[in-house]
Amino acid sequence: MSYDLVVRSRRAVLPQGQRPAAGAVTAGRIAALAGYDAPLDAVVDEDLGDVALLPGLVDTHVHVNEPGRTEWEGFASATRAAAAGGVTTLVDMPLNSVPPTVTVAALETKRAAARGRCHVDVGFWGGVVPGNLGDLVALDRAGVFGFKAFLVDSGVPEFPPVDAVLLERALAAVDALFVVHAEDPGSVRESPPSPRYADFVASRPPAAERSAVATVVAAARRTGARVHVLHLSSAGALPELVAARTDGVRLTVETCPHYLALTAEQVPDGATEFKCCPPIRDRGNQDRLWAALADGTVDCVVSDHSPCLPELKRADTGDFAAAWGGIASVQLSLPVVWTQARRRGHGLPDVVRWMATGPADLVGLRGKGRIAVGADADLVAFDADAAFRVEPGLLHHRHPVTPYAGQRLTGVVRATWLRGEPVTGDAPRGRLLRAGAA
């Protein structure tokens, strides 16, 4: 049999672990897996040697911001950056686009903005805001992958938060996955104008996450709904999560590269490129997050790519209170996490589980995030031993503002394939995904 593509690697990361292997591709899917030296006939035969072969990453937490705030990012730039970082599937958050994805009409507006502009496959979250409970069933049927809610101010007026009562009503309204920004508004204080990072961190204490997670858990217990805690930064919330899952609550949790790689101690005063919500915390907290990732308490690692116009970061004043809270990192997530993971004794199969298989399973994309027969041939050639210095000018997202500028990271993406075709950044071939049909 002749295949469209064969990719060989002595370090292929398969569901069974890392081993030498060859993956054969026909019509965009993995048709066969064989030994590294297997005689397979193909139109294109790529031998990566010792460069690792990974499944394409799945990033379920990306703010593309188009339409309405396309000057902040946009589907073309965000998906080009994703592909450059080994991400072949992303799920776009319902904000900070205008309109936010809280009605079917808004979803169709967003799909129209994305169509023909995506270099990777893209799905969409719906949103829960006051006043749109009646829209949730229709959004679910229209193919969103679930619904996002904020318990605290989102930062944009068109996506207001919900309280505990409304959250529970939403969970009971439709059988879907709910993903929650879990910070308690009663525990969050207004940050004073200040260039001191310590002042900003103090305004969003660990107690805000612990209290909000308790609210989410209580609502999930009463409704039986499936819930997911977004971007966990405080390890203090872990005992509540563990206890809930032990009791059978349908609960998952993610964290982000910046919480695993950056610490409060290293943030210089005025360095607002480090600002995100919830905030980057201390080194001891980070160690506990890594332990929770290692033991399976934390299910996955996703970027929370949240860019903005450079002037909104207020580098001119260094005022953390006034700066937009968000870190743009979709292109750097893989090397950031791999750099830290290998230092802590983890291997590439761990990273694949956290950043590809885990997020894919979270949103029901069983044909993504794994190198397996029948899965989409979304593949990444990852030079796991190569090092590079982060040069902002080489980043593909629209505004190259990053807290990783100048850092030396390990792991270089050499090539990315989407359904067996190389992603070059020229002709966009990404598909728009619908839950239940992808």
Side-chain angles (χ1 to χ4, degrees), residues 342-361:
R342 70 185 302 185
R343 290 175 182 169
R344 293 173 180 263
H346 298 290
L348 287 174
D350 297 316
V351 173
V352 165
R353 185 172 68 255
W354 301 329
M355 303 186 75
T357 315
D361 289 350

Side-chain angles (χ1 to χ4, degrees), residues 227-254:
V227 297
H228 178 75
V229 174
L230 296 168
H231 46 47
L232 184 74
S233 90
S234 172
L238 291 168
E240 178 84 30
L241 295 166
V242 171
R245 288 214 285 222
T246 300
D247 291 344
V249 177
R250 296 197 294 165
L251 180 71
T252 49
V253 60
E254 70 187 35

Side-chain angles (χ1 to χ4, degrees), residues 261-282:
L262 305 172
T263 63
E265 294 91 336
Q266 74 186 91
V267 179
D269 287 348
T272 54
E273 64 271 22
F274 287 83
K275 181 181 177 179
C276 57
C277 300
I280 295 160
R281 303 193 188 277
D282 61 80

Side-chain angles (χ1 to χ4, degrees), residues 8-157:
R8 307 172 188 271
S9 171
R10 296 188 185 91
R11 302 173 71 181
V13 179
L14 310 181
Q16 302 79 17
Q18 181 176 304
R19 63 177 174 84
V25 177
T26 295
R29 294 184 181 271
I30 298 170
L33 292 170
Y36 171 71
D37 294 317
L40 300 171
D41 182 52
V43 176
V44 177
D45 194 318
E46 292 273 0
D47 188 346
L48 303 182
D50 290 327
V51 171
L53 179 64
L54 312 182
L57 304 190
V58 178
D59 192 339
T60 54
H61 196 149
V62 177
H63 295 268
V64 176
N65 304 330
E66 186 177 6
R69 291 191 175 95
T70 308
E71 70 275 14
W72 289 22
E73 183 63 280
F75 285 102
S77 54
T79 58
R80 191 179 294 111
V87 175
T88 52
T89 303
L90 62 84
V91 186
D92 174 54
M93 283 292 169
L95 72 161
N96 303 301
S97 56
V98 180
T101 316
V102 295
T103 65
V104 172
L107 173 64
E108 293 308 320
T109 297
K110 180 168 283 193
R111 282 177 173 155
R115 197 165 289 118
R117 294 178 174 87
C118 298
H119 296 273
V120 303
D121 288 353
V122 175
F124 302 96
W125 294 106
V128 179
V129 296
N132 86 321
L133 282 184
D135 295 287
L136 300 188
V137 170
L139 276 165
D140 183 58
R141 290 173 178 166
V144 297
F145 283 85
F147 297 94
K148 180 175 187 177
F150 273 78
L151 296 183
V152 71
D153 178 44
S154 71
V156 292

